[in-house]
Amino acid sequence: MAIVQPFKAVRATRDKVTLVSSKSYEVYSSEMLNAKLAFNPYTFLHVINPGYKYQKQDIAEEQRFKLVHNRYLEFKDDGIFKKDLVASFYIYQKITDTKSFCGIISRTSVDDYHNNIIKKHEGTLQERELLFENYLKNTGFNIEPVLLTYPDNNVINSIIKKYQTKRAEYEFSTTDKDKHLLWVVDNENDIQKITNAFSEISTLYIADGHHRSTSACLLAKNLAKENPEHTGKENYNFFMSYLLPESQLSIYEFNRFIKDLNGLTPEEFLIELDTFFRIENRGQELYRPKEKHQFSMYLNGQFYALHLRISRYEFTDALSKLDAQILYLTVLKPILGINNIRNASKILYSQDKSDGLELKTKVDNGGFKVSFGMLPTSINELKEIVDADMLMPPKTTYIEPKLRSALTIYEF
């Protein structure tokens, strides 16, 4: 069923991996990025920010991508990277102060994506798809795997546990106090066991990396057209993935912050809410929902608990049961006039894993009129919606682990 294969990764040498690998480029502020580039000659950020070498940041897209490819070749020429001689799986473990994640880095099939064996739960933006497809085509590599999840499997778990008893190829800690370990699985018997175990799994779910997977599929389609000897076995017919058992996945919620009340006073807004919600004023008490279909709200200096009136709301399918969708259908669209929930001019999404105080501080600081919080989406809710061929609203889930860039590199 699911096609999961080993591949020959390009990897940093053991002595340099802690200096080479990085967080995703997008998480760094300009100050942090410049500091990394100035003081670490081995960071992969030099590759994906090639203008730093010439003190030039405003480089055209096509030219920048070609420079990225050139910097990558320089890292290989300098011996910072080596390509494995044997196609392998890579067991990667990330240990934080609260949780441990351990899964398998492999290559997965574009055909599985098209055949709905690899399923997505979010829509993608065409502009970003085309941008990243152009990036992949010009650079010839990918450094960030798509995060896929699958039902826990005893065979796969036993192989992972066997390797965890051995010395890891990589073992290092980062300044955020996370620990990273990587084992290379190049034993033919173990490779076959892993391949066979995944072939018996009917569905893989994309947890994070929807644009990466869609762009990889677009690249495969275009390169196949350009290749008169296309066989379907070329590297571009696959994309790098990190497969994690669903029991280890961590899913968090996004808070919603609204910039205006659509012409209503706070009192008028509360009256409108009363149609679908039983409302409790919690004053200054920091309220967080305890059950599904309950929401926290901060308005005009007060916390409120909102309990959905089940008798006034109709559950028609899996998506209609999702709290993010309920909030959209009962509040954001009909009362606050937000028809397009991607419209950044009226709504902000923010992930907050702390105690929820962000709901208060962002509103009190004057940038927003009201904020909403809810419980995280469960993996079962996600799967139910996806299996019904539906997509969740944007910014419904914030999923961990977030992976290091350039631990393993997949070349096309």
Side-chain angles (χ1 to χ4, degrees):
M1 298 284 278
I3 300 171
V4 175
Q5 297 181 351
F7 68 100
K8 297 178 183 179
V10 175
R11 301 186 290 114
T13 55
R14 181 185 287 176
D15 62 311
K16 294 183 178 66
V17 63
T18 185
L19 297 171
V20 171
S21 68
S22 68
K23 294 181 180 179
S24 176
Y25 176 80
E26 296 176 348
V27 308
Y28 292 102
S29 67
S30 58
E31 293 79 10
M32 292 171 60
L33 179 62
N34 287 332
K36 292 282 187 182
L37 293 169
F39 296 105
N40 182 0
Y42 296 111
T43 177
F44 199 81
L45 295 171
H46 282 289
V47 176
I48 54 181
N49 193 63
Y52 182 82
K53 182 176 182 178
Y54 304 109
Q55 299 300 307
K56 181 176 175 60
Q57 300 299 320
D58 55 337
I59 303 175
E61 179 181 297
E62 201 84 14
Q63 185 182 39
R64 176 175 175 267
F65 293 164
K66 290 178 180 178
L67 287 174
V68 168
H69 181 70
N70 292 343
R71 294 292 87 73
Y72 177 63
L73 294 179
E74 289 173 6
F75 266 51
K76 293 179 73 174
D77 291 342
D78 291 342
I80 298 171
F81 285 131
K82 301 289 185 182
K83 186 170 185 176
D84 286 332
L85 300 177
V86 177
S88 306
F89 287 116
Y90 304 89
I91 296 173
Y92 168 58
Q93 183 176 19
K94 177 181 179 180
I95 304 172
T96 71
D97 58 350
T98 59
K99 191 162 183 178
S100 174
F101 308 92
C102 193
I104 295 177
I105 299 174
S106 71
R107 72 176 196 175
T108 47
S109 169
V110 165
D111 284 344
D112 278 358
Y113 183 93
H114 291 308
N115 294 330
N116 213 28
I117 293 172
I118 296 176
K119 295 184 177 183
K120 62 182 182 180
H121 69 264
E122 287 184 358
T124 52
L125 300 175
Q126 186 179 27
E127 182 179 356
R128 289 194 64 189
E129 292 174 12
L130 295 173
L131 174 66
F132 195 55
E133 187 267 342
N134 192 26
Y135 171 84
L136 294 174
K137 186 174 183 179
N138 280 279
T139 61
F141 63 82
N142 187 16
I143 61 171
E144 294 185 3
V146 174
L147 177 59
L148 301 178
T149 190
Y150 62 92
D152 288 51
N153 181 283
N154 290 333
V155 173
I156 298 171
N157 289 344
S158 65
I159 294 174
I160 289 175
K161 288 179 180 179
K162 181 178 78 171
Y163 277 83
Q164 286 177 314
T165 64
K166 303 178 180 182
R167 183 192 177 189
E169 172 71 9
Y170 296 155
E171 182 175 3
F172 62 95
S173 295
T174 45
T175 54
D176 53 8
K177 299 184 179 180
D178 291 342
K179 186 175 181 179
H180 305 268
L181 300 101
L182 184 136
W183 294 265
V184 179
V185 181
D186 55 10
N187 177 274
E188 290 185 8
N189 186 45
D190 290 335
I191 287 174
Q192 195 60 52
K193 286 181 180 179
I194 293 172
T195 302
N196 291 342
F198 277 112
S199 71
E200 297 176 1
I201 295 175
S202 60
T203 305
L204 304 173
Y205 297 88
I206 299 177
D208 193 21
H210 286 81
H211 283 94
R212 271 169 275 155
S213 55
T214 305
S215 300
C217 292
L218 183 60
L219 175 72
K221 178 182 177 181
N222 291 335
L223 291 182
K225 289 180 179 178
E226 297 172 10
N227 183 4
E229 299 180 359
H230 172 79
T231 65
K233 297 181 180 180
E234 296 86 356
N235 282 352
Y236 59 72
N237 295 290
F238 302 85
F239 54 90
M240 184 168 63
S241 296
Y242 178 57
L243 295 110
L244 190 73
E246 61 186 39
S247 64
Q248 294 186 30
L249 209 63
S250 291
I251 305 178
Y252 302 94
E253 74 281 11
F254 277 94
N255 295 326
R256 277 113 166 101
F257 298 85
I258 315 302
K259 295 185 178 180
D260 64 69
L261 297 180
N262 200 26
L264 300 173
T265 66
E267 293 77 16
E268 291 170 337
F269 178 59
L270 288 169
I271 291 173
E272 292 291 330
L273 285 177
D274 196 77
T275 301
F276 282 104
F277 297 94
R278 178 165 59 86
I279 304 170
E280 298 175 6
N281 188 327
R282 297 299 186 97
Q284 294 299 307
E285 175 192 350
L286 184 60
Y287 171 73
R288 302 200 76 175
K290 297 180 176 58
E291 298 178 9
K292 289 292 182 181
H293 312 328
Q294 296 179 359
F295 302 86
S296 55
M297 180 179 75
Y298 186 76
L299 171 72
N300 204 28
Q302 306 285 316
F303 278 99
Y304 293 86
L306 306 182
H307 301 263
L308 182 68
R309 297 187 191 275
I310 302 298
S311 61
R312 299 298 301 272
Y313 182 86
E314 183 179 4
F315 297 112
T316 57
D317 51 34
L319 182 59
S320 69
K321 301 174 186 176
L322 190 71
D323 282 347
Q325 183 74 352
I326 292 171
L327 188 69
Y328 171 66
L329 292 176
T330 61
V331 181
L332 301 184
K333 182 178 179 180
I335 302 176
L336 295 175
I338 302 175
N339 294 309
N340 180 6
I341 47 181
R342 296 183 185 273
N343 185 354
S345 67
K346 297 198 71 171
I347 186 170
L348 171 76
Y349 301 93
S350 179
Q351 192 283 316
D352 178 21
K353 292 190 293 183
S354 62
D355 56 4
L357 187 61
E358 181 188 52
L359 291 174
K360 170 181 168 63
T361 56
K362 272 186 165 57
V363 175
D364 285 349
N365 287 340
F368 303 92
K369 291 295 185 181
V370 63
S371 59
F372 299 93
M374 64 194 78
L375 289 179
T377 302
S378 70
I379 183 63
N380 288 332
E381 286 180 297
L382 184 152
K383 290 168 63 176
E384 185 181 5
I385 291 170
V386 171
D387 289 341
D389 294 324
M390 294 184 287
L391 299 177
M392 297 196 295
K395 301 298 183 182
T396 298
T397 58
Y398 178 89
I399 296 180
E400 290 187 342
K402 300 300 181 187
L403 307 177
R404 299 287 289 181
S405 293
L407 267 182
T408 57
I409 301 173
Y410 183 71
E411 293 185 332
F412 300 104

